Amino acid sequence: MKKLYINTGGFDAVFNNLKDSFGGDLFITANEYKLTIKSKWASGSISGVRFEKEMTYLNFDLTFNQDVNLSIESNPFAPVFFAYCEKGNVLHSFGANGEIKTLKKQQSGIMSNTSAINSVLYFESHKHIQFSLIGMPTNINNSESDFSNQVKNIFIANSKNYIYIGDENQKIGNKFQELKTIPQQGTVRYLLMKSILREILELEIAQHTYNYLTPFKPVLNFAAKQLGEIKKLSHINLTTIVAPVHFLKRNLQPKTLSLKYNQKLAS
């Protein structure tokens, strides 16, 4: 088994650590990173995007040539990680001797770690794995502090370590398919990715809270605003994307008002 240790820090440090561990070629364009690997340890790629202080996105598409134990240093920014598995299995534990949990195909997981204990990922040899990670920092001042606090309040437990594994939400799965089909480059691509990933996190908040309407409205407002900004920067036809957003906004408001009215009558 190959044992690796990753220091948490900036995106540059993480990808350089991965390159040192697995070999390969690292390409960096603006805020996007891609490590292409073909070595005695593994073959495939690890790609990622950083969105300043708001969130990070990583995608792993790899086949390891031997079992790998990847120990990740506890992060001072206390991020909450949202994991989504498309192929293979990803095993996780808090510390080398902690209970091992398995994230399987078409499952999603949520993990937070505010203790000094490392998170450990285990990968089996000669098995193709595809999974994605979205990281949201919760211990940092940024322009998304209100949203960050929502994530913190819901997903960081008093026990300092939290993990949840369940079947993947179909709507979230569809969003990842959208993410794969973005054809644009540069600023337009960056804004589209940011918008889709933010919607995924809003959907996670919605399905892990009792009031589904409250978190759902912000995602529509955010999507409409972001797509409006993107449209100014691009000559592509976004009518087919924008129309459903505005349709949902128009139809959600009457339902919300009706619900509030019925609750008032009931009281």
Side-chain angles (χ1 to χ4, degrees):
M1 173 180 285
K2 182 175 177 63
K3 295 185 178 181
L4 303 173
Y5 182 86
I6 299 293
N7 290 306
T8 53
F11 234 46
D12 288 332
V14 170
F15 269 89
N16 282 318
N17 260 333
L18 290 169
K19 181 182 178 181
D20 291 342
S21 298
F22 296 119
D25 299 311
L26 177 60
F27 301 94
I28 304 174
T29 305
N31 292 315
E32 288 199 54
Y33 295 67
K34 185 168 184 177
L35 177 62
T36 303
I37 302 166
K38 190 173 183 180
S39 67
K40 63 180 180 179
W41 306 117
S43 60
S45 65
I46 304 172
S47 56
V49 186
R50 61 177 180 180
F51 298 92
E52 301 304 330
K53 296 179 181 179
E54 296 176 34
M55 59 182 164
T56 55
Y57 169 70
L58 289 167
N59 178 265
F60 296 78
D61 186 351
L62 292 167
T63 301
F64 292 98
N65 296 328
Q66 60 177 284
D67 292 344
V68 171
N69 176 326
L70 182 62
S71 181
I72 305 171
E73 181 186 44
S74 179
N75 194 309
F77 298 128
V80 175
F81 288 103
F82 300 83
Y84 307 90
C85 186
E86 293 183 66
K87 288 185 179 179
N89 297 327
V90 181
L91 284 71
H92 171 274
S93 70
F94 291 111
N97 299 317
E99 181 184 1
I100 295 177
K101 301 281 188 178
T102 304
L103 182 68
K104 299 179 181 178
K105 180 180 178 181
Q106 294 183 331
Q107 285 190 322
S108 64
I110 303 169
M111 187 272 288
S112 66
N113 178 14
T114 58
S115 70
I117 299 174
N118 286 6
S119 285
V120 184
L121 298 178
Y122 307 88
F123 304 104
E124 298 176 282
S125 66
H126 299 96
K127 292 186 179 180
H128 185 196
I129 60 163
Q130 286 183 329
F131 72 100
S132 297
L133 284 176
I134 304 173
M136 182 73 189
T138 60
N139 187 22
I140 190 171
N141 292 323
N142 61 40
S143 58
E144 300 291 335
S145 58
D146 289 341
F147 183 66
S148 175
N149 285 335
Q150 270 190 294
V151 172
K152 181 177 181 179
N153 292 336
I154 295 170
F155 300 113
I156 292 187
N158 293 329
S159 63
K160 305 299 183 182
N161 296 326
Y162 170 85
I163 188 165
Y164 161 87
I165 293 176
D167 292 335
E168 183 177 282
N169 182 306
Q170 185 176 351
K171 291 180 180 179
I172 291 176
N174 292 340
K175 288 296 174 186
F176 274 107
Q177 292 304 313
E178 286 182 35
L179 200 64
K180 289 181 179 180
T181 59
I182 297 175
Q184 286 73 30
Q185 298 296 323
T187 303
V188 172
R189 174 179 172 82
Y190 179 82
L191 289 174
L192 281 169
M193 292 185 74
K194 180 179 176 181
S195 177
I196 292 171
L197 291 170
R198 172 64 183 258
E199 288 183 65
I200 289 172
L201 296 187
E202 290 278 10
L203 287 167
E204 288 286 10
I205 290 174
Q207 72 174 0
H208 286 87
T209 55
Y210 292 106
N211 186 354
Y212 281 63
L213 290 176
T214 300
F216 190 55
K217 284 188 70 176
V219 80
L220 299 176
N221 293 330
F222 178 84
K225 181 180 178 182
Q226 287 293 307
L227 290 169
E229 293 176 1
I230 294 166
K231 195 171 184 181
K232 293 176 184 177
L233 297 170
S234 173
H235 297 296
I236 62 173
N237 182 6
L238 294 179
T239 304
T240 56
I241 304 175
V242 177
V245 173
H246 289 299
F247 173 80
L248 285 170
K249 286 186 69 179
R250 287 196 302 271
N251 285 273
L252 179 63
Q253 187 174 7
K255 291 179 181 179
T256 306
L257 291 174
S258 175
L259 178 61
K260 290 181 177 177
Y261 179 74
N262 291 335
Q263 288 175 339
K264 186 176 181 180
L265 288 178
S267 63

